[in-house]
Amino acid sequence: MAGWDVHTHLIPPTVLAAAHQRAFGLAVEGGALVVDGRERLPLQRLANPAALLEWIDEQQLEGAVVSVPPALFRYDQGVEWASLVNQGLRELATPRLRVLGQLPLLDPAAPEVASALADEGVFSGFALGTAGFAALDHVWRELDRLEAFTLIHPSHSHDSRLEAFYLSNLLGNPYETGLAAAELVFADVPGRFPGIRFCLCHGGGVTAALAGRWQRGIDTARPGIEPPSLSVAEALRQFYVDDLVHDTAVQALLGATFGSDRVLAGSDWPFPMGSERIDQGRAAARATVSERITRPLKKGAVSA
């Protein structure tokens, strides 16, 4: 067995327990977790760690990196929600299931939460939704100090025009990831906080296709742009991305944009827009780097 899947999802058991009690705006109805009366997450495999372990074996992998589904980021719920989610993630963590912690990203306590989670030696980093990354230097400073693997996963787009044709996912998700990447690049986060191991889901969304346009905006001093310390090309080579783009031509673009050594195997298990089969060649080729950057954090430690 060789390699890791860096992009999989499970619902923590503590979240399910809260839903059965109808706490935190959650409920279980018709075999689905209902979040705030709107979003429905089919339980089945999402609530079954054994199913993920079985899939890992089928794909001949060493293990998988687990984050919560994006409907559970819920940054308006603050520290109490993050604590509930993280307790469930602790319960899921095993040598073959590495878990990414939940931060109350928009709460002032986020850096302290990150530091405390890292000190446990259980969490392999953090998963962040695309909630708007302006004015988060206090968070980036701590994640940089921790050299944290930081998965950027798209949250739901609020553009009502995307309600038809499943475009909220087909177009909204890649846009949201590209927006997050743009905010990071133009705010010079990769240049100022190079220790953070950002990984963009879904091949970075629209990022690779727009990199040249972003650089043109810098070169022509478009309004609101302060030139970052890194060129766009240099900044993007600081990111990792998963390979989940469903297009071999785009796979080649990812390698040209981010560097082939920075394209990691990721499936988005168990969602329908994910992959039914991991690229075992890529997983094996990136096995060493994937294992290294997703090892459980230890506060104050410098990775080998």
Side-chain angles (χ1 to χ4, degrees), residues 211-302:
R213 186 173 182 85
W214 294 354
Q215 186 61 52
R216 180 65 175 173
I218 295 171
D219 294 342
T220 57
R222 294 301 85 204
I225 295 178
E226 290 290 333
S229 66
L230 301 177
S231 69
V232 173
E234 290 170 331
L236 294 183
R237 294 245 165 183
Q238 302 266 105
F239 290 89
Y240 294 92
V241 296
D242 72 22
D243 61 356
L244 187 62
V245 292
H246 307 292
D247 189 320
T248 55
V250 177
Q251 293 281 359
L253 178 61
L254 297 184
T257 302
F258 298 98
S260 59
D261 59 329
R262 295 231 161 203
V263 182
L264 310 178
S267 70
D268 204 7
W269 185 97
F271 285 103
M273 285 301 298
S275 175
E276 297 175 353
R277 184 175 295 113
I278 205 79
D279 185 324
Q280 293 181 339
R282 180 172 289 107
R286 308 288 176 266
T288 299
V289 65
S290 296
E291 192 282 329
R292 177 176 58 83
I293 66 176
T294 65
R295 288 172 188 165
L297 295 168
K298 196 162 187 180
K299 188 176 179 182
V302 177

Side-chain angles (χ1 to χ4, degrees), residues 27-107:
V28 175
E29 298 174 359
L33 174 68
V34 183
V35 183
D36 296 324
R38 298 188 304 271
E39 298 197 62
R40 299 178 65 89
L41 297 171
L43 294 178
Q44 301 172 335
R45 291 189 295 172
L46 266 176
N48 188 353
L52 176 54
L53 288 168
E54 182 179 347
W55 188 82
I56 289 169
D57 286 337
E58 290 173 356
Q59 302 300 310
Q60 301 178 34
L61 296 172
E62 294 174 54
V65 181
V66 176
S67 57
V68 298
L72 300 183
F73 287 136
R74 306 181 82 205
Y75 293 128
D76 60 329
Q77 299 289 312
V79 174
E80 188 178 4
W81 172 252
S83 296
L84 176 79
V85 172
N86 286 325
Q87 179 54 39
L89 288 166
R90 289 184 189 96
E91 295 172 15
L92 291 172
T94 71
R96 302 190 72 198
L97 297 182
R98 293 181 171 179
V99 295
L100 300 179
Q102 171 86 2
L103 295 182
L105 188 61
L106 305 182
D107 189 286

